[in-house]
Amino acid sequence: MRILDIAAKDIQQILRDWKSALFLLIMPVLFTIFFGLVFGPVTSGDRQRDPRLPIGLINQDPGGQLSDSLEELIGQSAVIRPIRLGQEAAERAVDRIEQGDLVAVVRIPVGYSQAVSAGQPISLEVITNQQTPSGRTALIALDTVTGRLFGAVESAHISVEAYQSRIGFDGDAARQTAFQEAFQRAVLAWGSPPLTVQVEQATGTPAPGGRGVISNGFTQSSAGMIVQFSVFGLITSAMLLVLERKNRCLQRLLTTPISRAEVIGGHLLAMFLVVFVQEALLIFLGQFAFGVNYLREPLAILIMMLALAFWAACLGLLIGALARKEDQVIVLCLGAMFFFSALGGAWFPLDVAGKAFSSIGHVLPSAWAMDGFQNIILRGMGFGSVLLPAGLLLVYALAFFGLALWRFSFE
Amino acid sequence: MPDGVAIRAQDLQKQFRAVSAVRGVSFEVRAGEIFSLLGPNGAGKSTTIAMLSCLLQPTQGDASVCGHSIRQSPQRVKACLGVVPQDIALYLDLSARENLEFWGKMYGLRGATLRQRVAEVLAIIGLTERQKDKVGTFSGGMQRRVNIGAALLHRPDVIIMDEPTVGIDPQSRRHILDNVKELNRQGMTVLYTTHYMEEAQELSHQIAIMDQGKIIVCGTHAELIRLVGERTRLDLTLHSEDDALVACWRSIAGVHSLSADHGRLTLLVDDSNLVLPRLFETAAQVGVRITSVTIEEPNLEAVFLHLTGKALRDAL
């Protein structure tokens, strides 16, 4: 019970300090907006309406039945979105891939329809960067589309051959017409395949109310600022601990019938609750103001919130144990914030920073916190994807807690 | 309390690395007494009460408070003890009421009992009107009163006060000393540390004088004064000097010495209440007017000087 009393007193003091609102809410919101705009500007046009991966398409076999059908199948893909390119644009295709405008460029070669109909080997020309997840995804999607095309051609051939052997055609024109009909039916059949794989878009979702704000940048900045300010927001609560030691209240507590464990537990609980409520507010804003879809896996997000809050509280306790003066709290909190945020991927995705940097970053708990949140809001993964990040956060939390206990002094 | 003893310290010692802060302190405080530890800064008073408050573990020795050992039952000791630290150990951004409520909860008070005790303590310390103001806005004296109030909430059998009047105005000091007497009158045992001999003299049933980690003497005020055999000193100024009168005064019973210097006389006497009327009477008979009298009673300063060879105030 006394643990709750100490936690309630701490929270009362934190809420009474005007700096708390600044560090816990105002600054995180402002930084979320700022970084959101930096990483992923509010987009318009095709990308706003269609979040599929854009690929450039150059059809050098125009009018061919199969090449036209291939274009249709690409257009129906849930993963890639064709953008027709003229010859001039085709010459700058590689540049556009490097600039990120396109993830791939596909060229349908001359005579493609004829070669495929005749069963002769011919393949699409694809330019992409296979080192990127988007490039690899586009290649897989193109394989799927061409597989469907070849499947439709094959089934049309089988159908025609079967008719030929049982009834027979009146000439090549009738045979060609039958092939085209069979091919069309086969292509149409792909509209309702016997087996489908649901692909969830790993991007922001439109904000409710039709405000039409979609920003991939907010999926980075919202989660990033939650992680960053869970550390920076510790300033006021860690400061309380230092002041309590400095004004001898901490020592006076030990003259009452309360144990040292209860005192530490009370302060830890207050820090945990403050960070948790801060996370909840920022996630609420992220969901309903910035269109980041946290609530697609609410239980997973809750687990990440709890794990992050516990780790941050243990870090706050450690800072409160190490600092002897108020200015030391500020220095330690700022240092921790910069260190964990920059290296842990709170400011920019570790994916874009290269493998070595990403590996180094994942030594830090903040990187795992980012992974946990982004597995849900960016990568479209399920509940199971947060168990490892949350588990590792708890391990880090226990380590920090042990350090805090070791360094904690009541005098 | 067993055998009427509220606090019993037995050979308490505290060593901080190479420094011996307390070196074998033993004393007893009977229930209902005000017991003062008097001594200069660094004498070991605060370390002694830190051990009695279970803040520090003695290097050697033991003590009991309300019959509970500070080594074996610290939680029981804390439950029957109220501690007023030397520093203002309060939350300055909380109001007086919020502070008292918090410290009351730390002593296990809840609900209506807590509210009632907070109201009572606010009345005792005279801050009912300012209860909603933040402690940080209070004067030093008012903060000291809240500091004391926080230790009274659970009605402890024993209260330890560590120099509670340091650095405050005379009015607040008076208020605190009156509070201490009133609490004692209500039956509370008080262990009081101070380096102000006047406070120890005014408040205490028993006084222990500490120096360099040891109790050098312990007893009632009268016992301590008798110990050093000091006599009352009278300084008089005469309107005109009269050799016959001086000779007469030397022969008055109870006058041990007399020195005269141009109308200013210094006498050492056993009891000023008996001697002074005789001085005025004889002066009137020979027509000499006494223009000023200063009475300097024997005090603890003299005791400390006698036992340590240094003045108490010089040792601060």
Side-chain angles (χ1 to χ4, degrees), chain A residues 88-397:
Chain A
E88 190 181 331
E91 288 170 4
R92 295 191 298 108
V94 174
D95 291 339
R96 294 188 65 177
I97 291 171
E98 286 178 354
Q99 289 164 5
D101 287 347
L102 300 171
V103 297
V105 172
V106 179
R107 188 192 304 269
I108 302 173
V110 176
Y112 182 80
S113 297
Q114 194 175 358
V116 172
S117 300
Q120 295 168 353
I122 190 165
S123 56
L124 300 173
E125 292 174 22
V126 181
I127 306 169
T128 188
N129 182 357
Q130 293 191 49
Q131 302 300 315
T132 65
S134 302
R136 290 195 295 272
T137 305
L139 274 182
I140 292 167
L142 282 168
D143 277 349
T144 304
V145 169
T146 51
R148 287 182 175 186
L149 181 78
F150 292 157
V153 170
E154 186 62 26
S155 66
H157 275 305
I158 292 169
S159 174
V160 167
E161 290 304 322
Y163 190 86
Q164 175 70 38
S165 63
R166 286 166 55 192
I167 301 167
F169 291 106
D170 293 335
D172 279 350
R175 182 188 172 92
Q176 187 61 30
T177 303
F179 176 83
Q180 286 174 0
E181 286 176 1
F183 175 74
Q184 286 301 331
R185 281 199 299 275
V187 169
L188 284 173
W190 283 118
S192 55
L195 180 66
T196 59
V197 176
Q198 184 70 34
V199 178
E200 295 190 31
Q201 293 300 316
T203 62
T205 55
R211 278 174 288 174
V213 176
I214 299 174
S215 173
N216 292 335
F218 285 123
T219 56
Q220 166 65 30
S221 72
S222 175
M225 293 307 106
I226 287 173
V227 173
Q228 172 170 324
F229 281 92
S230 68
V231 176
F232 193 58
L234 294 170
I235 279 187
T236 45
S237 38
M239 193 77 83
L240 282 183
L241 208 51
V242 170
L243 287 174
E244 195 168 67
R245 186 184 296 111
K246 194 175 165 187
N247 68 16
R248 299 281 179 175
C249 282
L250 205 51
Q251 198 173 47
R252 184 174 198 165
L253 277 169
L254 295 184
T255 68
T256 70
I258 189 171
S259 67
R260 288 170 189 245
E262 284 177 299
V263 174
I264 292 172
H267 289 302
L268 186 69
L269 179 62
M271 291 183 188
F272 173 84
L273 291 174
V274 166
V275 175
F276 186 79
V277 170
Q278 179 196 32
E279 288 175 345
L281 288 171
L282 294 178
I283 281 175
F284 179 85
L285 282 171
Q287 178 77 33
F288 296 108
F290 304 133
V292 181
N293 198 358
Y294 285 103
L295 296 183
R296 55 175 294 276
E297 283 286 352
L299 188 59
I301 291 295
L302 178 65
I303 285 176
M304 283 308 301
M305 288 168 67
L306 292 170
L308 176 60
F310 185 49
W311 168 69
C314 291
L315 175 62
L317 195 67
L318 179 60
I319 290 171
L322 293 176
R324 286 288 172 272
K325 297 176 182 172
E326 293 96 311
D327 53 356
Q328 290 175 339
V329 172
I330 295 170
V331 169
L332 287 171
C333 278
L334 276 174
M337 182 194 79
F338 285 127
F339 180 68
F340 287 115
S341 302
L343 296 181
W347 291 350
F348 49 85
L350 287 181
D351 292 343
V352 303
K355 195 174 179 183
F357 192 92
S358 175
S359 301
I360 293 168
H362 276 86
V363 174
L364 302 178
S366 47
W368 291 102
M370 287 300 296
D371 275 1
F373 282 119
Q374 293 195 322
N375 282 349
I376 302 302
I377 61 173
L378 186 66
R379 301 184 184 102
M381 297 164 81
F383 174 77
S385 68
V386 301
L387 295 180
L388 177 63
L392 286 171
L393 273 175
L394 291 179
V395 171
Y396 278 108

Side-chain angles (χ1 to χ4, degrees), chain B:
Chain B
M1 275 174 234
D3 58 22
V5 175
I7 301 173
R8 176 177 283 129
Q10 294 167 307
D11 191 29
L12 278 179
Q13 295 183 32
K14 187 64 190 178
Q15 186 90 16
F16 295 108
R17 295 187 181 161
V19 179
S20 290
V22 175
R23 299 186 290 172
V25 164
S26 301
F27 62 90
E28 280 187 3
V29 181
R30 288 188 292 277
E33 247 183 12
I34 299 179
F35 185 100
S36 288
L37 284 174
L38 176 68
N41 290 335
K45 307 185 300 290
S46 293
T47 306
T48 301
I49 64 167
M51 287 189 279
L52 293 173
S53 312
C54 307
L55 282 175
L56 289 176
Q57 185 85 347
T59 309
Q60 199 172 316
D62 196 359
S64 65
V65 178
C66 306
H68 307 297
S69 162
I70 59 170
R71 283 184 180 277
Q72 290 160 15
S73 313
Q75 292 303 98
R76 288 185 177 177
V77 170
K78 290 175 181 179
C80 71
L81 197 60
V83 179
V84 181
Q86 186 173 346
D87 302 294
I88 307 290
L90 298 169
Y91 300 101
L92 302 183
D93 51 348
L94 299 184
S95 70
R97 179 175 198 89
E98 288 164 343
N99 263 286
L100 293 177
E101 283 175 347
F102 173 74
W103 290 109
K105 286 174 186 170
M106 292 302 101
Y107 284 107
L109 302 177
R110 292 280 181 274
T113 310
L114 175 64
R115 285 193 294 276
Q116 183 192 340
R117 282 301 297 154
V118 167
E120 288 171 9
V121 168
L122 281 167
I124 291 170
I125 61 177
L127 288 172
T128 305
E129 300 297 317
R130 300 284 306 270
Q131 60 178 292
K132 289 182 181 171
D133 293 348
K134 285 184 184 175
V135 169
T137 65
F138 286 177
S139 68
M142 290 161 77
Q143 289 180 350
R144 287 263 167 216
R145 278 141 70 182
V146 182
N147 207 32
I148 292 171
L152 303 176
L153 291 153
H154 59 303
R155 288 200 181 101
D157 296 323
V158 176
I159 185 162
I160 293 179
M161 305 175 109
D162 189 7
E163 310 219 19
T165 59
V166 170
I168 59 172
D169 58 281
Q171 191 184 352
S172 292
R173 189 180 187 192
R174 184 73 261 151
H175 194 282
I176 288 172
L177 294 180
D178 290 345
N179 273 166
V180 173
K181 287 185 201 169
E182 177 58 23
L183 291 168
N184 178 249
R185 198 187 58 75
Q186 292 171 8
M188 202 175 281
T189 306
V190 181
L191 175 58
Y192 192 96
T193 78
T194 182
H195 57 250
Y196 297 128
M197 61 177 182
E198 304 86 352
E199 288 183 6
Q201 209 163 300
E202 177 183 343
L203 292 173
S204 315
H205 297 106
Q206 281 206 85
I207 300 165
I209 298 181
M210 284 190 79
D211 188 42
Q212 297 184 344
K214 285 182 175 177
I215 290 180
I216 54 176
V217 68
C218 183
T220 64
H221 179 245
E223 284 170 347
L224 296 186
I225 297 302
R226 273 203 300 275
L227 191 69
V228 294
E230 279 281 316
R231 292 165 180 140
T232 303
R233 175 174 153 163
L234 301 177
D235 289 316
L236 293 92
T237 311
L238 304 181
H239 183 256
S240 59
E241 194 166 334
D242 186 316
D243 292 341
L245 180 63
V246 170
C248 173
W249 281 2
R250 281 204 172 99
S251 65
I252 292 174
V255 175
H256 284 270
S257 69
L258 189 155
S259 61
D261 182 20
H262 299 96
R264 298 169 65 92
L265 290 88
T266 300
L267 296 87
L268 283 178
V269 304
D270 282 335
D271 188 338
S272 58
N273 287 343
L274 295 176
V275 171
L276 265 176
R278 291 282 297 133
L279 298 180
F280 277 96
E281 189 183 320
T282 50
Q285 285 170 358
V286 296
V288 173
R289 199 150 49 89
I290 300 173
T291 54
S292 75
V293 178
T294 304
I295 304 169
E296 203 167 296
E297 291 281 352
N299 58 29
L300 296 170
E301 175 76 39
V303 176
F304 191 79
L305 178 65
H306 175 79
L307 293 174
T308 66
K310 58 191 176 188
L312 181 58
R313 286 193 170 87
D314 294 342
L316 293 179

Side-chain angles (χ1 to χ4, degrees), chain A residues 57-62 67 71 87 90 107-112 125:
Chain A
L57 184 64
I58 303 163
N59 189 351
Q60 294 180 329
D61 185 32
S67 56
E71 271 198 62
Q87 190 56 39
R107 188 192 304 269
I108 302 173
V110 176
Y112 182 80
E125 292 174 22

Side-chain angles (χ1 to χ4, degrees), chain A residues 32-82:
Chain A
T32 300
I33 294 170
F34 173 74
F35 277 108
L37 295 175
V38 168
F39 286 124
V42 176
T43 54
S44 59
D46 289 345
R47 275 182 90 179
Q48 182 171 326
R49 290 191 297 272
D50 190 342
R52 294 176 298 170
L53 299 174
I55 63 164
L57 184 64
I58 303 163
N59 189 351
Q60 294 180 329
D61 185 32
Q65 182 192 14
L66 299 189
S67 56
D68 289 351
S69 294
L70 181 62
E71 271 198 62
E72 279 177 35
L73 285 170
I74 291 173
Q76 291 165 9
S77 170
V79 179
I80 52 178
R81 168 169 55 90

